[in-house]
Amino acid sequence: MDNKEQAAEILLSLSPLEVGGLKDGINFFRNKSSGKNYILYKDKNHLRACKNMCKHQGGLFIKDIEDLDGRSVRCTKHNWKLDVSTMKYINPPGSFCQDELVIEMDENNGLLLIELNPPNPWDADPHPPKDLAFGEVQITYLTHACMDLKLGDKKMIFDPWLTGPAFARGWWLLHEPPSDWLERLCQADLIYISHMHSDHLSYPTLKRLADRRPNIPIYVGNTERPVFWNLKQSGVALTNIHVVPFGTWQKVDRNLRFMILMDGVHPEMDTCIIVEYKGHKILNTVDCTRPNGGRLPEKVDLMMSDFAGGASGFPMTFSGGKFTEEWKAQFIKTERKKLLNYKAQLVKDLQPRIYCPFAGYFVESHPSDKYIKETNTKNDPNELNNLIKKISNVSTWTPQPGAVLDLGRMLKDPTDSKSIINPPSGTKIYKDSWDFAPYLQTLNDTIEDEIFLHSSWIKEYFTWAGFKNYNLVIRMIETDEDFNTLPTGYNYLVDFLDLSFPAERPSRNHPYEEIRSRVGVIRHVVKHGLLWDDLYIGFQTRLQRDPDIYHHLFWNHFQIKLPLTPPNWKSFLMQQG
């Protein structure tokens, strides 16, 4: 380890009252205890923030009286001007961008300004790039977010999901992985798994690997909820998992090192990675929404990121109120376009030599999920790459399973036809059959479990879950395959204000959600103490809410913060006699 672990530092905190008093446009703040100054820019509900310090020679910014729009500030030293709405300097034009601070809202609507320290940890111990021989660095796309990297005489694999479903039974592989995928996994020197979602941490895939090579080195970031929190219960016998601190170089050999970075500033689950070989950087931001708090290395040799959208139950699984088919279709169209433009702009700003869209190649292929498959449209990687070509001179790669990118060739001559070798013509690119039966059987086996003969499992489960003192009432309804109420299933209320289970909704004013879930999936999740991502991201529920408010604390708890060990059903059954 060459450098110190990265940490999140709070620079300024504002009370809910101060947040309520923010005016549209520019707001100046001073942290009285540190003496440091900050600028917050508010545009309707959108906030941006930076240090009140000019990048030129550290001068203090004040209001720019010539600016009638109220968007720019002027440095008291040399009259440099900064447009705070874009964080770009306008005098001198095209000179710098101001580094942004991360803004976090707390549970009471207070606000924190946060900086990751060190902000650019990859600058520690720089290695100047050396020439690469043809064939020395090769990147092979396997499927979804899984890449096979040949780096000199070492092999590294990202996020192997190569068989089985993800999110209970909601996601299946779009691409047919190369037939030798298991051999490739077994031959790897190390594997990086970015986070605990099952399209990245695939226990069906890792079981096949562990049966052959249980001691393969696997690296994960030091997230708040451990990536492998469920390893013991999964029955997958991996014995060589390394949890590494954020923002530190991990040396593999004299030419190869890597660094895992956190997403945003609260490292609950997502991470991304920089791999460096002979000074050449490969940046994989995976699913991160704000990797490293928005600070990323520029001009890397290869950047890969997600692009597709559609990794959420919202809005397809919602009904009632505004959630008409027309509204949902328009929302999805707008959101996908916003994501496409955001990714293209990010690539333009970071200027990698090569960009590859990945980690979005999944399909809702089970026949019962036909509605989701038809409505949950995803971005087209070629459309994104065409947009990038239009606004920048970055080379792009739309990967096919088994395709190989030769980094040395591509860097020397992006037009060299041998720099990307696609699979031979006739190779199967898209899957057309999936082995649904064994995975659905595992879920449906839970339906008859002895636990569910006793209605007191409901209190046992929600007490174990530990979410309460929150004004929300939910109705949980077990359903058949098509989300029709199951006459033999459970249908009950949970009042999270006092964690009670009333027969009728309480008379006080309360928000309400109705959650209908396929019986096999909800019982599997309950029995094994799994996170509700399987239900929500896996499209295994149908939801209505009144009023139409997203209850972040509730969903965040059930998607990230459930206890690390499952409910003690053995003890529960003994108590039932």
Side-chain angles (χ1 to χ4, degrees):
M1 233 188 280
D2 308 330
N3 46 326
K4 65 170 186 164
E5 182 174 0
Q6 198 181 32
E9 185 186 344
I10 297 172
L11 304 178
L12 180 75
S13 61
L14 299 184
S15 68
L17 200 65
E18 289 172 306
V19 173
L22 287 172
K23 62 181 196 292
D24 271 352
I26 295 163
N27 298 264
F28 292 99
F29 285 95
R30 181 181 177 85
N31 180 332
K32 292 185 178 68
S33 56
S34 70
K36 300 275 174 66
N37 295 287
Y38 303 95
I39 302 171
L40 257 92
Y41 180 80
K42 184 182 178 196
D43 176 16
K44 300 191 184 83
N45 291 324
H46 187 61
L47 294 170
R48 300 183 89 150
C50 65
K51 291 180 179 176
N52 185 346
M53 185 193 288
C54 181
K55 261 201 163 172
H56 180 214
Q57 285 185 6
L60 193 72
F61 287 114
I62 58 169
K63 201 163 168 30
D64 177 14
I65 49 172
E66 293 171 6
D67 170 37
L68 302 176
D69 295 326
R71 288 202 290 258
S72 66
V73 290
R74 178 175 66 82
C75 176
T76 48
K77 274 193 172 175
H78 302 98
N79 283 328
W80 280 40
K81 291 186 181 182
L82 170 70
D83 182 337
V84 196
S85 71
T86 61
M87 292 294 169
K88 290 179 177 165
Y89 283 82
I90 44 179
N91 179 31
S95 50
F96 290 118
C97 283
Q98 187 80 338
D99 295 323
E100 283 191 68
L101 299 171
V102 178
I103 296 171
E104 287 271 312
M105 303 302 289
D106 68 22
E107 291 168 7
N108 304 312
N109 265 346
L111 178 148
L112 303 173
L113 285 195
I114 302 179
E115 181 177 53
L116 290 172
N117 207 359
N120 302 350
W122 51 86
D123 288 338
D125 183 27
H127 290 185
K130 296 176 183 169
D131 283 347
L132 297 177
F134 291 176
E136 188 175 1
V137 174
Q138 292 180 322
I139 295 97
T140 306
Y141 169 71
L142 300 185
T143 181
H144 191 57
C146 184
M147 289 281 188
D148 179 357
L149 288 74
K150 175 187 179 290
L151 303 146
D153 58 2
K154 289 283 188 282
K155 280 190 67 169
M156 182 175 192
I157 285 182
F158 295 156
D159 285 339
W161 171 34
L162 294 148
T163 189
F167 300 109
R169 44 169 283 194
W171 293 30
W172 303 82
L173 288 166
L174 176 70
H175 287 147
E176 186 71 55
S179 55
D180 65 346
W181 66 262
L182 188 54
E183 298 304 318
R184 288 171 177 271
L185 285 191
C186 291
Q187 288 162 12
D189 294 285
L190 65 158
I191 291 175
Y192 159 69
I193 293 181
S194 59
H195 62 294
M196 64 186 178
H197 280 163
S198 48
D199 58 321
H200 299 264
L201 168 62
S202 163
Y203 281 117
T205 305
L206 294 177
K207 174 144 190 21
R208 298 280 301 276
L209 173 60
D211 289 347
R212 297 263 296 267
R213 196 178 158 206
N215 65 340
I216 191 163
I218 296 180
Y219 289 84
V220 296
N222 186 18
T223 45
E224 260 170 54
R225 188 176 189 95
V227 174
F228 278 98
W229 69 273
N230 201 31
L231 180 65
K232 188 177 171 191
Q233 207 191 173
S234 76
V236 175
L238 292 166
T239 59
N240 197 4
I241 294 166
H242 303 259
V243 180
V244 301
F246 291 116
T248 63
W249 282 119
Q250 306 295 321
K251 188 177 175 182
V252 180
D253 63 24
R254 65 193 178 89
N255 292 320
L256 177 62
R257 58 185 184 168
F258 66 91
M259 173 182 288
I260 298 178
L261 299 168
M262 65 177 90
D263 185 22
V265 290
H266 280 313
E268 287 168 340
M269 55 168 253
D270 265 346
T271 73
C272 58
I273 191 169
I274 300 168
V275 176
E276 188 184 85
Y277 176 81
K278 287 190 175 177
H280 293 273
K281 288 186 178 69
I282 296 169
L283 169 66
N284 173 8
T285 63
V286 205
D287 288 357
C288 289
T289 41
R290 200 166 159 74
N292 196 50
R295 298 276 283 273
L296 289 169
E298 294 177 9
K299 297 185 168 68
V300 299
D301 295 271
L302 171 63
M303 173 182 173
M304 48 188 94
S305 78
D306 67 338
F307 70 97
S312 164
F314 188 85
M316 297 81 57
T317 58
F318 285 71
S319 62
K322 72 181 180 194
F323 294 106
T324 61
E325 293 309 310
E326 295 74 24
W327 186 92
K328 290 194 265 191
Q330 189 53 54
F331 177 88
I332 290 166
K333 192 177 168 187
T334 306
E335 285 302 302
R336 299 296 179 270
K337 193 165 186 183
K338 273 184 356 199
L339 178 63
L340 209 67
N341 289 327
Y342 165 71
K343 291 291 175 185
Q345 188 60 46
L346 184 64
V347 171
K348 184 189 176 190
D349 291 345
L350 293 176
Q351 300 168 57
R353 294 285 300 278
I354 307 151
Y355 171 74
C356 170
F358 84 146
Y361 302 110
F362 69 94
V363 61
E364 305 86 344
S365 59
H366 192 276
S368 300
D369 290 327
K370 184 169 175 274
Y371 165 75
I372 299 289
K373 184 183 175 185
E374 288 172 357
T375 54
N376 188 27
T377 52
K378 327 259 184 332
N379 282 327
D380 177 344
N382 290 310
E383 194 184 338
L384 173 57
N385 283 343
N386 290 335
L387 183 56
I388 288 166
K389 282 178 204 157
K390 229 182 257 178
I391 63 172
S392 74
N393 54 8
V394 173
S395 300
T396 60
W397 176 34
T398 302
Q400 294 181 357
V404 182
L405 182 142
D406 186 323
L407 194 61
R409 273 188 189 276
M410 192 89 172
L411 294 177
K412 190 169 185 195
D413 178 9
T415 63
D416 182 344
S417 62
K418 291 180 182 165
S419 58
I420 293 173
I421 305 295
N422 281 318
S425 65
T427 303
K428 190 174 177 186
I429 301 297
Y430 296 101
K431 287 183 84 72
D432 54 15
S433 66
W434 296 263
D435 193 9
F436 298 130
Y439 300 102
L440 267 69
Q441 191 60 52
T442 300
L443 296 170
N444 291 335
D445 282 349
T446 325
I447 298 172
E448 303 301 327
D449 198 285
E450 194 186 343
I451 296 161
F452 303 104
L453 297 174
H454 310 278
S455 60
S456 49
W457 73 262
I458 297 167
K459 184 179 181 186
E460 183 75 15
Y461 173 74
F462 284 98
T463 304
W464 164 84
F467 183 74
K468 57 183 179 183
N469 302 322
Y470 185 80
N471 186 23
L472 173 67
V473 176
I474 62 168
R475 178 174 288 284
M476 299 288 288
I477 303 171
E478 293 186 330
T479 74
D480 64 13
E481 194 73 350
D482 300 316
F483 298 101
N484 301 310
T485 302
L486 203 64
T488 56
Y490 284 96
N491 180 336
Y492 56 93
L493 290 165
V494 186
D495 184 345
F496 287 107
L497 194 60
D498 57 359
L499 200 55
S500 60
F501 307 90
E504 293 177 3
R505 285 173 62 175
S507 55
R508 71 167 196 279
N509 196 5
H510 63 274
Y512 174 74
E513 290 203 19
E514 181 185 284
I515 304 174
R516 309 173 76 84
S517 311
R518 286 179 176 150
V519 62
V521 182
I522 184 67
R523 291 194 183 185
H524 184 78
V525 164
V526 163
K527 180 183 174 179
H528 298 286
L530 301 177
L531 299 169
W532 282 25
D533 283 338
D534 280 353
L535 297 167
Y536 185 66
I537 302 179
F539 316 114
Q540 301 302 304
T541 58
R542 294 295 181 267
L543 298 112
Q544 291 193 27
R545 56 193 188 190
D546 178 29
D548 177 24
I549 290 168
Y550 175 59
H551 292 279
H552 171 74
L553 287 180
F554 166 71
W555 283 104
N556 192 53
H557 185 90
F558 282 89
Q559 287 182 290
I560 293 178
K561 297 191 171 174
L562 288 176
L564 294 175
T565 49
N568 187 344
W569 295 118
K570 200 173 173 183
S571 160
F572 167 76
L573 288 171
M574 282 169 69
Q575 287 165 26
Q576 307 310 306

